[in-house]
Amino acid sequence: MCVDTLDSELPNDIPGLGYSARVSQTLPNIGDITDHLLYACRFWTVHIVDLEQQHMTEAFLKTFSHFLTNHVVTWMEVVTVKDKFQPLDSVREWTKKMSLNETMISKISYEKSVASAAYNLSSTLQNVGLYGDALKAEQEAVAIYRALAADQPTLFTSDLADSLNNLSNCLSDVGQVSEGLQVIQEVVAMRRILAADQPDRFNSDLALSLTNLSNCLYDMGQLSEALETIKEAVTMRRTLAADDPTKYNPDLALSLTNFSNCLYDVGHLSEAFKTIKEAVTMRRTLAADDPTKFNPDLALSLNNFSNRLSDMGQVSEALHAIKEAVAIRRSLAADRPARFNSLLADSLYNLSNHLFRDGQASKALEAMEEAVTIRKTLAAEQPAMFSSALANSFINLSNCLYAVGQMSEALEAIKEAVTIYKTLAADYPAKFSPDLALSLNNLAICLSDMDQIPEALEAIKQAVTIWRTLAVNQPVKYNADLADSLNTLSNHLSYVGQLSEAL
């Protein structure tokens, strides 16, 4: 049986194992294993739930117990790298259905080492763009921590809150924003109670969850609520930073950056500018003392600062800020390309946008082409993590090519974006349908300009259908996009003589 194979053949000294003890930026390469062992890793959870009571001999139960005690985390690490993360929920239910002894059920339902490994694995899987697997891993951790916290709330409520906090992020990553919002609201309520009893210990955690809650509210289009929530987080972190600036100024700078974004989106432009400027000033000081640690954060705030400068009409200052961000990230990427090439592409993307708005279309095209080149390489290596960024770059590359008169190249670029977003939206419709609709809208415009009217009409009809669906659930967020696409559709219908439909 698979469990016998795992217990006897799954060693704990496979090179590369032990990685679930911490959060990593990549999944490791681990040593080779036999096909026989890989099969057991992949399918034991499927086979065991079909095992009938009469086949559960004393010898099997002893082997199963030994495997759970000594090898289950090793199995979790191996199967995650060699195949995909597998939750234990079905096995957990099976142990209860079979009325196995409490010790056995405890190993599968209350094992802290499994919860901790799943928690760390989830973050690692997020870092490599495997969002679906990351969600399953965090759900596994939450299931165990809920059971532990129900029995021993004093010991495990904090761990449960940590895991739920990550679960909210995982749900948002796969486009389940409303579900993520519900989870982070539970975390905030939980941490408010913890912080009321032990503010010195839990106020920082509460501020973190408030920041995440603000992000979820923002993504749901609840901008006023998002603003009030991040304002509370900033207030808390100002207090924490006043007492211990070395420890909490980095967190305060992060919340200020988010606060600025919320202020901007509710129309408080001057306050948004003032807030991001404070974040940049703070991060300059941090980076001066420890450039290795804080230059990445400084570059991020400079990115946002350049946008706010542009909003205030300070075009040359905006370009100066984004060029500084690009310079920082070039230096970082030269030393650590695996970590910082994606961020360099982000800044090149923003640089292109600023140059484009400044009327420097040719230079904007150069910057966007470099961003696309980097993101093509990244997406080839890790498609789950970087395909969406590549598609977004193709949209802007198409705009730049269009602006310099390279119409056929612009059409090919926007087709690339549509192709990628169709694949992404098929897997994660809630997250990527808006991007697909936008790219279809742009595709329709390019096709029309190339006199491919029937194809243009089909593309804009697809865009309108998507925007309609989105606007039903989130009208505040998507009604304007729907209106734009309807206008484009009307123009195309008029062009082909379908005047009644155009009206």
Side-chain angles (χ1 to χ4, degrees), residues 242-423:
D243 293 335
D244 191 345
T246 302
K247 184 175 181 179
Y248 292 112
N249 268 350
D251 296 330
L252 174 57
L254 172 62
S255 287
L256 286 168
T257 300
N258 290 5
F259 189 29
S260 173
N261 292 337
C262 288
L263 287 165
Y264 170 78
D265 282 306
V266 298
H268 299 165
L269 302 188
S270 60
E271 294 93 333
F273 175 78
K274 178 181 177 182
T275 302
I276 192 60
K277 187 174 182 180
E278 181 183 359
V280 168
T281 300
M282 190 173 294
R283 283 178 162 170
R284 279 199 192 283
T285 301
L286 292 165
D289 292 337
D290 192 345
T292 301
K293 185 174 182 180
F294 292 112
N295 264 346
D297 297 329
L298 173 58
L300 173 62
S301 287
L302 284 166
N303 258 338
N304 290 12
F305 188 39
S306 70
N307 293 334
R308 299 294 80 80
L309 285 163
S310 179
D311 297 334
M312 300 293 287
Q314 301 181 35
V315 178
S316 61
E317 292 88 345
L319 281 170
H320 178 78
I322 194 59
K323 285 177 180 178
E324 184 181 358
V326 168
I328 292 171
R329 285 178 165 172
R330 277 200 194 282
S331 177
L332 292 166
D335 291 336
R336 289 176 284 174
R339 181 176 178 187
F340 289 108
N341 266 347
S342 65
L343 297 174
L344 172 59
D346 293 344
S347 287
L348 286 165
Y349 176 93
N350 277 8
L351 173 60
S352 175
N353 289 340
H354 288 308
L355 289 165
F356 190 88
R357 284 193 286 268
D358 193 42
Q360 302 182 50
S362 296
K363 289 184 178 180
L365 177 59
E366 290 177 14
M368 192 56 67
E369 286 176 330
E370 185 179 358
V372 167
T373 298
I374 294 171
R375 285 175 168 174
K376 275 186 177 179
T377 301
L378 293 167
E381 295 171 350
Q382 299 183 64
M385 188 168 188
F386 294 109
S387 289
S388 62
L390 175 60
N392 196 24
S393 293
F394 272 125
I395 291 177
N396 283 23
L397 177 62
S398 176
N399 293 338
C400 290
L401 289 163
Y402 187 97
V404 299
Q406 299 183 35
M407 306 299 292
S408 61
E409 292 87 346
L411 177 59
E412 290 308 308
I414 195 61
K415 283 182 177 179
E416 291 273 9
V418 169
T419 298
I420 296 171
Y421 276 133
K422 280 187 175 179
T423 301

Side-chain angles (χ1 to χ4, degrees), residues 39-93:
Y39 179 90
C41 285
R42 292 176 64 190
F43 294 111
W44 80 269
T45 59
V46 176
H47 293 166
I48 200 168
V49 297
D50 293 329
L51 190 63
E52 298 295 336
Q53 189 82 43
Q54 62 267 28
H55 299 299
M56 289 193 295
T57 64
E58 184 176 343
F60 165 75
L61 292 175
K62 182 178 180 181
T63 299
F64 185 42
S65 178
H66 188 266
F67 164 68
L68 294 178
T69 302
N70 296 282
H71 299 306
V72 70
V73 171
T74 301
W75 160 76
M76 189 179 288
E77 292 187 353
V78 171
V79 78
T80 297
V81 171
K82 295 294 187 180
D83 187 35
K84 59 185 178 181
F85 180 86
Q86 291 191 23
L88 290 167
D89 50 344
S90 61
V91 181
R92 193 174 293 114
E93 289 303 312

Side-chain angles (χ1 to χ4, degrees), residues 142 145-146 149 153 156-165 183-197 202 205-206 209:
V142 166
Y145 280 131
R146 276 202 192 280
F156 292 107
T157 297
S158 177
D159 293 318
L160 174 58
D162 291 343
S163 195
L164 286 166
N165 192 84
V183 171
I184 197 62
Q185 286 171 331
E186 179 185 359
V187 178
V188 168
M190 196 178 296
R191 285 181 164 167
R192 284 197 191 280
I193 294 171
L194 292 168
D197 291 338
F202 291 112
D205 292 334
L206 175 56
S209 291

Side-chain angles (χ1 to χ4, degrees), residues 62-133:
K62 182 178 180 181
T63 299
F64 185 42
S65 178
H66 188 266
F67 164 68
L68 294 178
T69 302
N70 296 282
H71 299 306
V72 70
V73 171
T74 301
W75 160 76
M76 189 179 288
E77 292 187 353
V78 171
V79 78
T80 297
V81 171
K82 295 294 187 180
D83 187 35
K84 59 185 178 181
F85 180 86
Q86 291 191 23
L88 290 167
D89 50 344
S90 61
V91 181
R92 193 174 293 114
E93 289 303 312
W94 174 81
T95 61
K96 296 175 182 178
K97 176 184 174 183
M98 292 295 104
S99 301
L100 299 185
N101 63 59
E102 287 301 316
T103 300
M104 193 83 68
I105 294 174
S106 177
K107 289 179 186 299
I108 202 73
S109 299
Y110 300 91
E111 184 53 62
K112 296 188 290 293
S113 63
V114 176
S116 177
Y119 176 87
N120 289 335
L121 279 173
S122 177
S123 295
T124 298
L125 289 164
Q126 280 181 295
N127 289 338
V128 299
L130 296 174
Y131 301 118
D133 283 358

Side-chain angles (χ1 to χ4, degrees), residues 428-488:
Y428 304 110
K431 184 170 186 178
F432 291 111
S433 288
D435 299 309
L436 174 57
L438 174 63
S439 61
L440 284 165
N441 192 83
N442 288 11
L443 174 61
I445 294 170
C446 284
L447 286 165
S448 180
D449 288 337
M450 296 290 288
D451 292 325
Q452 300 181 34
I453 304 302
E455 294 87 348
L457 189 57
E458 176 59 29
I460 195 60
K461 284 181 177 178
Q462 291 179 36
V464 167
T465 298
I466 295 170
W467 288 127
R468 278 195 199 282
T469 302
L470 293 167
V472 168
N473 295 321
Q474 297 185 61
V476 174
K477 189 171 184 178
Y478 293 117
N479 269 346
D481 296 308
L482 173 59
D484 289 342
S485 284
L486 284 169
N487 184 63
T488 303

